[in-house]
Amino acid sequence: MWRNFALNDAISRQRDVFLVDLRNHGESDHHESMSYEEMARDVARFADSRGLDKYTLIGHNLGAKTAMMTATLFPDNVNGIICLDTAPTPTA
């Protein structure tokens, strides 16, 4: 689903698009812990490694909560978030 969305010409012609697997998902590194803060710091490290000073995050469920945490921890770097199927509450 994400690959088709992200690589859509309407988006990819206007922006650089990166599909990032969160820790313990897909082809990412596996760790014993995976708090939202740790995953947010992983996202920020990824952005730093690509030289991205400002970025917009799109996430679904766990990815959306990670996007919210990334925006909270790194407000100078995150210029927008799009969150799908989640809410900014501890239990959602």
Coordinates of all heavy atoms in Angstrom, one line a residue:
M1 N 0.8 -1.2 0.0 CA 0.0 0.0 0.0 C 0.9 1.3 0.0 O 0.7 2.2 -0.8 CB -0.9 0.0 1.2 CG -1.7 1.3 1.4 SD -2.6 1.3 2.9 CE -1.7 2.5 3.9
W2 N 1.8 1.4 0.9 CA 2.6 2.6 1.0 C 3.5 2.8 -0.2 O 3.6 4.0 -0.6 CB 3.5 2.5 2.3 CG 2.8 2.8 3.5 CD1 2.6 1.9 4.5 CD2 2.1 4.0 3.9 NE1 1.8 2.4 5.5 CE2 1.5 3.7 5.2 CE3 1.9 5.2 3.3 CZ2 0.8 4.7 5.9 CZ3 1.2 6.2 4.0 CH2 0.6 5.9 5.3
R3 N 4.0 1.8 -0.8 CA 4.8 1.9 -2.0 C 4.0 2.6 -3.1 O 4.5 3.5 -3.7 CB 5.4 0.6 -2.4 CG 6.4 0.7 -3.5 CD 7.2 -0.6 -3.7 NE 7.8 -1.1 -2.5 CZ 8.9 -0.7 -2.0 NH1 9.6 0.3 -2.6 NH2 9.5 -1.2 -0.9
N4 N 2.8 2.1 -3.3 CA 2.0 2.6 -4.4 C 1.7 4.1 -4.1 O 1.6 4.9 -5.0 CB 0.7 1.8 -4.6 CG 1.0 0.5 -5.2 OD1 2.0 0.2 -5.8 ND2 0.1 -0.5 -4.9
F5 N 1.3 4.4 -2.9 CA 1.0 5.8 -2.5 C 2.2 6.7 -2.6 O 2.1 7.7 -3.3 CB 0.5 5.8 -1.0 CG 0.2 7.2 -0.5 CD1 -0.9 7.8 -0.9 CD2 1.1 7.8 0.3 CE1 -1.2 9.1 -0.4 CE2 0.9 9.0 0.8 CZ -0.3 9.7 0.4
A6 N 3.3 6.3 -2.1 CA 4.5 7.2 -2.0 C 5.1 7.4 -3.4 O 5.7 8.4 -3.7 CB 5.5 6.6 -1.1
L7 N 5.0 6.4 -4.2 CA 5.7 6.5 -5.6 C 4.7 7.0 -6.6 O 5.1 7.0 -7.8 CB 6.3 5.1 -6.0 CG 7.3 4.6 -5.0 CD1 7.9 3.3 -5.4 CD2 8.5 5.6 -4.8
N8 N 3.5 7.4 -6.2 CA 2.6 8.0 -7.1 C 3.2 9.2 -7.8 O 3.8 10.1 -7.1 CB 1.3 8.4 -6.3 CG 0.3 9.1 -7.2 OD1 0.5 10.1 -7.7 ND2 -0.9 8.5 -7.2
D9 N 3.1 9.4 -9.1 CA 3.7 10.5 -9.8 C 3.3 11.9 -9.2 O 4.1 12.8 -9.2 CB 3.4 10.5 -11.3 CG 4.1 9.4 -12.0 OD1 5.1 8.9 -11.4 OD2 3.7 9.1 -13.1
A10 N 2.1 12.0 -8.8 CA 1.6 13.3 -8.2 C 2.4 13.7 -7.0 O 2.7 14.9 -6.7 CB 0.2 13.3 -7.9
I11 N 2.9 12.8 -6.2 CA 3.7 13.0 -5.0 C 5.2 13.0 -5.4 O 5.9 14.0 -5.0 CB 3.4 12.0 -3.9 CG1 1.9 12.2 -3.5 CG2 4.3 12.2 -2.8 CD1 1.5 11.1 -2.5
S12 N 5.6 12.0 -6.0 CA 7.1 11.8 -6.2 C 7.7 12.8 -7.1 O 8.9 13.1 -7.1 CB 7.4 10.4 -6.6 OG 6.8 10.1 -7.9
R13 N 6.9 13.5 -8.0 CA 7.4 14.5 -8.8 C 7.7 15.8 -8.1 O 8.4 16.7 -8.5 CB 6.4 14.8 -10.0 CG 6.6 13.9 -11.2 CD 5.8 14.3 -12.3 NE 4.4 14.0 -11.9 CZ 3.3 14.2 -12.6 NH1 3.4 14.7 -13.8 NH2 2.1 13.8 -12.2
Q14 N 7.0 16.0 -6.9 CA 7.1 17.2 -6.2 C 8.0 17.1 -4.9 O 8.4 18.1 -4.4 CB 5.7 17.7 -5.7 CG 4.8 18.0 -6.9 CD 3.4 18.4 -6.4 OE1 3.3 19.1 -5.4 NE2 2.4 18.0 -7.1
R15 N 8.2 15.9 -4.5 CA 9.0 15.7 -3.2 C 9.8 14.5 -3.3 O 9.5 13.5 -4.1 CB 8.0 15.5 -2.1 CG 7.2 16.7 -1.8 CD 6.4 16.5 -0.5 NE 5.6 17.6 -0.2 CZ 5.8 18.4 0.9 NH1 6.8 18.1 1.7 NH2 5.1 19.4 1.1
D16 N 10.9 14.5 -2.5 CA 11.7 13.2 -2.4 C 10.9 12.4 -1.4 O 10.4 12.9 -0.4 CB 13.1 13.5 -1.8 CG 13.9 14.3 -2.8 OD1 13.8 14.0 -4.0 OD2 14.7 15.1 -2.3
V17 N 10.8 11.1 -1.6 CA 10.0 10.2 -0.8 C 10.9 9.1 -0.3 O 11.6 8.5 -1.1 CB 8.8 9.6 -1.6 CG1 8.0 8.6 -0.8 CG2 7.9 10.7 -2.2
F18 N 10.8 8.8 1.0 CA 11.5 7.7 1.6 C 10.5 6.8 2.3 O 9.7 7.3 3.1 CB 12.5 8.2 2.6 CG 13.6 9.2 2.0 CD1 13.4 10.5 2.0 CD2 14.7 8.6 1.5 CE1 14.3 11.4 1.5 CE2 15.7 9.5 0.9 CZ 15.5 10.9 0.9
L19 N 10.6 5.5 2.1 CA 9.8 4.6 2.9 C 10.6 4.0 3.9 O 11.6 3.3 3.6 CB 9.2 3.5 1.9 CG 8.3 4.0 0.8 CD1 8.0 2.9 -0.2 CD2 7.1 4.7 1.3
V20 N 10.3 4.2 5.2 CA 11.2 3.8 6.3 C 10.5 2.8 7.1 O 9.4 3.0 7.6 CB 11.6 5.0 7.2 CG1 12.5 4.6 8.3 CG2 12.2 6.1 6.3
D21 N 11.1 1.6 7.3 CA 10.6 0.6 8.2 C 11.0 1.0 9.6 O 12.1 1.2 9.9 CB 11.1 -0.8 7.9 CG 10.6 -1.4 6.6 OD1 9.4 -1.1 6.3 OD2 11.3 -2.2 6.0
L22 N 10.0 1.0 10.5 CA 10.3 1.2 12.0 C 11.1 0.0 12.5 O 11.0 -1.1 12.0 CB 9.1 1.5 12.8 CG 8.3 2.8 12.4 CD1 7.0 2.8 13.2 CD2 9.1 4.0 12.7
R23 N 11.8 0.3 13.6 CA 12.5 -0.9 14.2 C 11.6 -2.0 14.5 O 10.4 -1.9 14.8 CB 13.2 -0.4 15.5 CG 12.3 0.1 16.6 CD 13.0 0.3 17.9 NE 14.1 1.3 17.8 CZ 15.1 1.3 18.7 NH1 15.1 0.5 19.8 NH2 16.1 2.1 18.6
N24 N 12.1 -3.2 14.3 CA 11.4 -4.5 14.5 C 10.2 -4.7 13.4 O 9.3 -5.5 13.6 CB 10.8 -4.6 15.9 CG 11.9 -4.6 16.9 OD1 13.0 -4.9 16.7 ND2 11.5 -4.2 18.1
H25 N 10.3 -3.9 12.3 CA 9.3 -4.1 11.3 C 10.1 -4.2 9.9 O 11.1 -3.5 9.7 CB 8.4 -2.9 11.2 CG 7.4 -2.8 12.3 ND1 7.7 -2.4 13.6 CD2 6.1 -3.2 12.4 CE1 6.7 -2.5 14.4 NE2 5.7 -3.0 13.7
G26 N 9.5 -5.0 9.0 CA 10.1 -5.1 7.7 C 11.5 -5.5 7.7 O 11.9 -6.4 8.4
E27 N 12.4 -4.7 7.0 CA 13.8 -5.0 6.9 C 14.6 -4.1 7.9 O 15.9 -4.1 7.7 CB 14.2 -4.8 5.5 CG 13.6 -5.8 4.5 CD 14.0 -5.6 3.1 OE1 15.1 -5.1 2.9 OE2 13.2 -6.0 2.2
S28 N 14.0 -3.5 8.9 CA 14.8 -2.7 9.8 C 15.6 -3.6 10.8 O 15.4 -4.8 10.9 CB 13.8 -1.8 10.6 OG 13.0 -2.6 11.5
D29 N 16.4 -2.9 11.5 CA 17.2 -3.5 12.6 C 16.2 -4.0 13.7 O 15.1 -3.3 13.9 CB 18.2 -2.6 13.2 CG 19.3 -2.2 12.3 OD1 19.6 -3.0 11.3 OD2 19.9 -1.2 12.5
H30 N 16.5 -5.1 14.4 CA 15.6 -5.5 15.4 C 16.3 -5.2 16.8 O 17.5 -5.4 17.0 CB 15.4 -7.0 15.3 CG 14.5 -7.3 14.1 ND1 13.1 -7.4 14.2 CD2 14.7 -7.3 12.8 CE1 12.6 -7.6 13.0 NE2 13.5 -7.5 12.1
H31 N 15.4 -4.8 17.7 CA 15.9 -4.4 19.1 C 14.9 -5.0 20.1 O 13.8 -5.3 19.8 CB 15.8 -2.8 19.2 CG 16.7 -2.1 18.2 ND1 18.0 -1.7 18.4 CD2 16.4 -1.7 16.9 CE1 18.4 -1.1 17.4 NE2 17.5 -1.1 16.4
E32 N 15.4 -5.1 21.3 CA 14.5 -5.6 22.4 C 13.4 -4.6 22.7 O 12.4 -5.0 23.1 CB 15.4 -6.0 23.6 CG 16.2 -7.3 23.3 CD 16.7 -7.9 24.6 OE1 16.2 -7.6 25.7 OE2 17.7 -8.6 24.5
S33 N 13.7 -3.4 22.7 CA 12.7 -2.4 23.0 C 12.3 -1.6 21.8 O 13.1 -1.5 20.8 CB 13.3 -1.4 24.1 OG 14.4 -0.7 23.6
M34 N 11.1 -1.0 21.9 CA 10.7 -0.2 20.7 C 9.7 0.9 21.2 O 8.5 0.9 20.8 CB 10.1 -1.0 19.6 CG 9.1 -2.0 19.9 SD 8.5 -2.9 18.5 CE 7.3 -1.9 17.8
S35 N 10.1 1.8 22.1 CA 9.2 2.8 22.6 C 9.1 3.9 21.5 O 9.8 3.9 20.5 CB 9.9 3.5 23.8 OG 11.0 4.3 23.4
Y36 N 8.0 4.7 21.6 CA 7.8 5.7 20.6 C 9.0 6.7 20.6 O 9.3 7.2 19.5 CB 6.5 6.5 20.9 CG 5.3 5.6 20.6 CD1 4.4 5.2 21.7 CD2 5.0 5.2 19.3 CE1 3.3 4.4 21.4 CE2 3.9 4.4 19.1 CZ 3.1 4.0 20.1 OH 2.0 3.2 19.9
E37 N 9.5 7.0 21.7 CA 10.7 7.9 21.7 C 11.9 7.3 21.0 O 12.5 8.0 20.2 CB 11.1 8.3 23.2 CG 12.2 9.3 23.2 CD 12.6 9.8 24.6 OE1 11.8 9.6 25.5 OE2 13.7 10.3 24.7
E38 N 12.1 6.0 21.2 CA 13.2 5.4 20.5 C 13.0 5.4 19.0 O 13.9 5.7 18.2 CB 13.4 3.9 21.0 CG 14.0 3.8 22.4 CD 13.9 2.4 22.9 OE1 12.9 1.7 22.6 OE2 14.8 2.1 23.6
M39 N 11.8 5.1 18.6 CA 11.5 5.1 17.1 C 11.5 6.5 16.5 O 12.0 6.6 15.4 CB 10.1 4.4 16.9 CG 10.1 2.9 17.2 SD 8.6 2.0 16.8 CE 7.5 2.6 18.1
A40 N 11.1 7.5 17.3 CA 11.2 8.9 16.8 C 12.6 9.2 16.6 O 13.0 9.9 15.6 CB 10.5 9.8 17.8
R41 N 13.5 8.8 17.5 CA 14.9 9.1 17.4 C 15.5 8.4 16.2 O 16.4 8.9 15.5 CB 15.7 8.9 18.7 CG 15.3 9.8 19.8 CD 16.1 9.7 21.1 NE 15.5 10.5 22.1 CZ 15.7 11.8 22.2 NH1 16.3 12.5 21.3 NH2 15.1 12.5 23.2
D42 N 15.0 7.2 16.0 CA 15.5 6.4 14.8 C 15.1 7.2 13.5 O 15.9 7.3 12.6 CB 14.8 5.1 14.7 CG 15.2 4.1 15.8 OD1 16.3 4.3 16.4 OD2 14.5 3.1 16.0
V43 N 13.9 7.7 13.5 CA 13.4 8.5 12.3 C 14.3 9.8 12.1 O 14.8 10.1 11.0 CB 11.9 8.9 12.4 CG1 11.5 9.9 11.4 CG2 11.0 7.7 12.4
A44 N 14.6 10.4 13.2 CA 15.4 11.7 13.1 C 16.8 11.3 12.7 O 17.4 12.0 11.9 CB 15.5 12.3 14.5
R45 N 17.4 10.2 13.1 CA 18.7 9.7 12.7 C 18.7 9.4 11.2 O 19.6 9.8 10.5 CB 19.2 8.5 13.5 CG 20.0 8.8 14.7 CD 20.7 7.6 15.3 NE 19.7 6.6 15.7 CZ 19.0 6.5 16.8 NH1 19.2 7.5 17.7 NH2 18.2 5.5 17.1
F46 N 17.6 8.8 10.7 CA 17.5 8.5 9.3 C 17.5 9.8 8.5 O 18.2 9.9 7.5 CB 16.2 7.7 9.0 CG 16.0 7.5 7.5 CD1 16.6 6.5 6.9 CD2 15.2 8.4 6.8 CE1 16.4 6.3 5.5 CE2 15.0 8.2 5.5 CZ 15.6 7.2 4.8
A47 N 16.7 10.8 8.9 CA 16.6 12.1 8.3 C 18.0 12.8 8.3 O 18.4 13.3 7.2 CB 15.6 13.0 8.9
D48 N 18.7 12.7 9.4 CA 20.0 13.3 9.5 C 21.0 12.7 8.5 O 21.8 13.3 7.9 CB 20.6 13.2 10.9 CG 20.0 14.2 11.9 OD1 19.3 15.2 11.4 OD2 20.2 14.1 13.1
S49 N 20.9 11.3 8.4 CA 21.8 10.6 7.5 C 21.6 10.9 6.1 O 22.5 10.7 5.2 CB 21.7 9.1 7.8 OG 20.5 8.6 7.2
R50 N 20.4 11.4 5.7 CA 20.1 11.8 4.4 C 20.2 13.3 4.2 O 19.9 13.9 3.1 CB 18.6 11.4 4.0 CG 18.3 10.0 4.1 CD 19.2 9.2 3.1 NE 18.9 7.8 3.0 CZ 19.3 6.8 3.9 NH1 20.0 7.1 4.9 NH2 18.9 5.6 3.7
G51 N 20.6 14.1 5.2 CA 20.8 15.5 5.1 C 19.5 16.3 5.0 O 19.5 17.4 4.5
L52 N 18.5 15.7 5.6 CA 17.2 16.4 5.6 C 17.0 17.3 6.8 O 17.0 16.8 7.9 CB 16.0 15.3 5.6 CG 16.1 14.3 4.5 CD1 15.0 13.2 4.7 CD2 15.9 15.0 3.1
D53 N 16.9 18.6 6.6 CA 16.7 19.5 7.7 C 15.3 19.7 8.1 O 14.9 19.8 9.2 CB 17.3 20.9 7.3 CG 18.8 20.9 7.1 OD1 19.5 20.1 7.8 OD2 19.3 21.6 6.2
K54 N 14.4 19.6 7.1 CA 12.9 19.8 7.3 C 12.3 18.6 6.5 O 12.6 18.3 5.4 CB 12.4 21.1 6.7 CG 12.9 22.3 7.5 CD 11.9 22.5 8.7 CE 12.1 23.9 9.2 NZ 11.3 24.1 10.4
Y55 N 11.2 18.1 7.1 CA 10.5 17.0 6.5 C 9.1 16.8 7.0 O 8.8 17.3 8.1 CB 11.3 15.6 6.7 CG 11.9 15.4 8.1 CD1 11.1 14.8 9.0 CD2 13.1 15.8 8.4 CE1 11.6 14.5 10.3 CE2 13.7 15.6 9.7 CZ 12.9 15.0 10.6 OH 13.4 14.7 11.9
T56 N 8.3 16.2 6.2 CA 6.9 15.9 6.5 C 6.8 14.4 6.7 O 7.4 13.7 5.9 CB 6.0 16.4 5.4 OG1 6.1 17.8 5.2 CG2 4.5 16.0 5.7
L57 N 6.1 14.0 7.7 CA 6.0 12.6 8.0 C 4.5 12.1 7.8 O 3.6 12.8 8.1 CB 6.4 12.3 9.5 CG 7.8 12.6 9.8 CD1 8.0 12.5 11.3 CD2 8.8 11.7 9.1
I58 N 4.4 11.0 7.2 CA 3.1 10.3 7.0 C 3.2 9.0 7.7 O 4.1 8.2 7.4 CB 2.7 10.1 5.5 CG1 2.7 11.5 4.8 CG2 1.4 9.4 5.4 CD1 2.5 11.3 3.3
G59 N 2.2 8.7 8.5 CA 2.3 7.4 9.2 C 0.9 6.8 9.5 O -0.1 7.6 9.6
H60 N 0.8 5.5 9.5 CA -0.4 4.8 9.8 C -0.3 4.1 11.2 O 0.7 3.4 11.4 CB -0.7 3.8 8.7 CG -1.9 2.9 9.0 ND1 -1.7 1.6 9.5 CD2 -3.2 3.1 8.9 CE1 -2.9 1.1 9.7 NE2 -3.8 1.9 9.3
N61 N -1.2 4.3 12.1 CA -1.3 3.6 13.3 C 0.0 3.8 14.1 O 0.3 4.9 14.6 CB -1.6 2.1 13.1 CG -2.2 1.5 14.4 OD1 -2.0 1.9 15.5 ND2 -2.9 0.4 14.2
L62 N 0.9 2.8 14.3 CA 2.1 2.9 15.0 C 3.0 3.9 14.4 O 3.7 4.7 15.0 CB 2.9 1.5 15.0 CG 4.2 1.5 15.7 CD1 4.0 1.6 17.2 CD2 4.9 0.2 15.4
G63 N 3.1 4.0 13.0 CA 3.8 5.0 12.3 C 3.3 6.4 12.6 O 4.1 7.4 12.7
A64 N 2.0 6.5 12.7 CA 1.4 7.8 13.0 C 1.8 8.3 14.4 O 2.2 9.5 14.6 CB -0.1 7.8 12.9
K65 N 1.7 7.4 15.4 CA 2.2 7.8 16.7 C 3.7 8.1 16.8 O 4.1 9.1 17.5 CB 1.9 6.7 17.7 CG 0.4 6.5 18.0 CD 0.2 6.1 19.4 CE -1.3 6.0 19.7 NZ -1.8 7.1 20.5
T66 N 4.4 7.4 16.0 CA 5.9 7.7 15.9 C 6.1 9.1 15.3 O 6.9 9.9 15.7 CB 6.6 6.6 15.1 OG1 6.4 5.4 15.8 CG2 8.1 6.9 15.0
A67 N 5.3 9.4 14.2 CA 5.4 10.7 13.6 C 5.0 11.8 14.6 O 5.7 12.9 14.7 CB 4.4 10.8 12.4
M68 N 4.0 11.6 15.4 CA 3.6 12.6 16.4 C 4.8 12.8 17.4 O 5.1 13.9 17.8 CB 2.3 12.2 17.2 CG 1.1 12.3 16.3 SD -0.4 12.0 17.3 CE -0.9 10.4 16.5
M69 N 5.4 11.7 17.9 CA 6.5 11.8 18.8 C 7.7 12.5 18.2 O 8.3 13.3 18.8 CB 6.9 10.4 19.3 CG 8.0 10.4 20.3 SD 7.7 11.3 21.9 CE 6.6 10.2 22.7
T70 N 8.0 12.2 16.9 CA 9.1 12.8 16.2 C 8.8 14.3 16.2 O 9.7 15.1 16.4 CB 9.2 12.2 14.8 OG1 9.4 10.8 14.9 CG2 10.5 12.8 14.1
A71 N 7.6 14.7 15.9 CA 7.3 16.2 15.8 C 7.4 16.8 17.2 O 7.8 18.0 17.3 CB 5.9 16.4 15.3
T72 N 7.1 16.1 18.2 CA 7.2 16.6 19.6 C 8.7 16.8 20.0 O 9.1 17.8 20.6 CB 6.5 15.7 20.6 OG1 5.1 15.6 20.2 CG2 6.6 16.2 22.0
L73 N 9.5 15.8 19.7 CA 10.9 15.8 20.1 C 11.8 16.7 19.1 O 12.8 17.3 19.6 CB 11.5 14.4 20.1 CG 10.9 13.5 21.1 CD1 11.5 12.1 20.9 CD2 11.2 14.0 22.5
F74 N 11.4 16.8 17.9 CA 12.2 17.6 16.9 C 11.3 18.6 16.1 O 11.2 18.5 14.9 CB 12.8 16.6 15.9 CG 13.7 15.5 16.6 CD1 13.1 14.3 16.9 CD2 14.9 15.8 17.0 CE1 13.9 13.3 17.5 CE2 15.7 14.9 17.7 CZ 15.2 13.6 17.9
P75 N 10.7 19.5 16.9 CA 9.8 20.5 16.2 C 10.4 21.4 15.2 O 9.7 21.8 14.2 CB 9.2 21.3 17.4 CG 10.3 21.2 18.4 CD 10.9 19.8 18.3
D76 N 11.7 21.6 15.3 CA 12.4 22.5 14.3 C 12.6 21.7 13.0 O 12.9 22.4 11.9 CB 13.7 23.0 14.8 CG 13.5 23.9 16.0 OD1 12.5 24.5 16.1 OD2 14.5 24.1 16.8
N77 N 12.5 20.4 13.0 CA 12.8 19.6 11.8 C 11.5 19.1 11.1 O 11.5 19.0 9.9 CB 13.6 18.4 12.1 CG 15.0 18.8 12.7 OD1 15.1 18.7 13.9 ND2 15.9 19.2 11.9
V78 N 10.5 18.9 11.9 CA 9.2 18.4 11.3 C 8.3 19.5 10.9 O 7.9 20.3 11.8 CB 8.5 17.4 12.3 CG1 7.2 16.9 11.7 CG2 9.4 16.2 12.6
N79 N 8.1 19.7 9.6 CA 7.2 20.8 9.2 C 5.8 20.4 9.0 O 4.9 21.2 8.7 CB 7.8 21.5 7.9 CG 7.9 20.6 6.7 OD1 7.4 19.5 6.7 ND2 8.6 21.1 5.7
G80 N 5.5 19.1 9.1 CA 4.1 18.6 9.0 C 4.0 17.1 9.3 O 5.0 16.4 9.1
I81 N 2.8 16.7 9.7 CA 2.6 15.3 9.9 C 1.2 14.9 9.3 O 0.3 15.8 9.4 CB 2.7 14.8 11.3 CG1 1.8 15.5 12.3 CG2 4.2 14.9 11.8 CD1 1.8 15.0 13.7
I82 N 1.1 13.8 8.8 CA -0.2 13.3 8.3 C -0.4 11.9 9.0 O 0.4 11.0 8.8 CB -0.3 13.1 6.8 CG1 -0.1 14.4 6.1 CG2 -1.6 12.5 6.4 CD1 0.2 14.4 4.6
C83 N -1.4 11.8 9.9 CA -1.6 10.6 10.7 C -2.9 9.9 10.3 O -3.9 10.6 10.2 CB -1.7 11.0 12.2 SG -0.2 11.8 12.8
L84 N -2.8 8.7 10.0 CA -3.9 7.9 9.6 C -4.2 6.8 10.6 O -3.3 6.1 11.1 CB -3.6 7.2 8.2 CG -3.1 8.1 7.1 CD1 -2.6 7.3 5.9 CD2 -4.3 9.0 6.7
D85 N -5.5 6.6 10.9 CA -6.0 5.6 11.8 C -5.3 5.6 13.2 O -4.9 4.5 13.7 CB -5.7 4.2 11.1 CG -6.6 3.1 11.7 OD1 -7.6 3.4 12.3 OD2 -6.2 1.9 11.7
T86 N -5.3 6.7 13.8 CA -4.8 6.8 15.2 C -5.2 8.1 15.8 O -5.8 9.0 15.1 CB -3.2 6.7 15.2 OG1 -2.8 6.4 16.5 CG2 -2.6 8.0 14.7
A87 N -5.0 8.3 17.1 CA -5.3 9.5 17.8 C -4.2 9.8 18.7 O -3.5 8.9 19.2 CB -6.6 9.4 18.5
P88 N -4.0 11.1 19.1 CA -2.9 11.5 19.9 C -3.2 11.2 21.4 O -3.2 12.1 22.3 CB -2.7 13.0 19.7 CG -4.1 13.4 19.3 CD -4.7 12.3 18.5
T89 N -3.5 10.0 21.7 CA -3.8 9.6 23.1 C -2.9 8.4 23.5 O -2.5 7.6 22.6 CB -5.3 9.2 23.3 OG1 -5.5 8.1 22.5 CG2 -6.2 10.3 23.0
P90 N -2.6 8.2 24.7 CA -1.7 7.1 25.1 C -2.3 5.7 24.8 O -1.5 4.8 24.6 CB -1.5 7.3 26.6 CG -2.0 8.6 27.0 CD -3.0 9.0 25.9
T91 N -3.6 5.5 24.8 CA -4.2 4.2 24.6 C -4.7 3.9 23.2 O -5.1 2.8 22.9 CB -5.4 4.0 25.6 OG1 -6.3 5.0 25.3 CG2 -4.9 4.1 27.0
A92 N -4.7 4.9 22.3 CA -5.2 4.7 20.9 C -4.2 4.0 20.0 O -3.0 4.1 20.2 CB -5.7 6.0 20.3

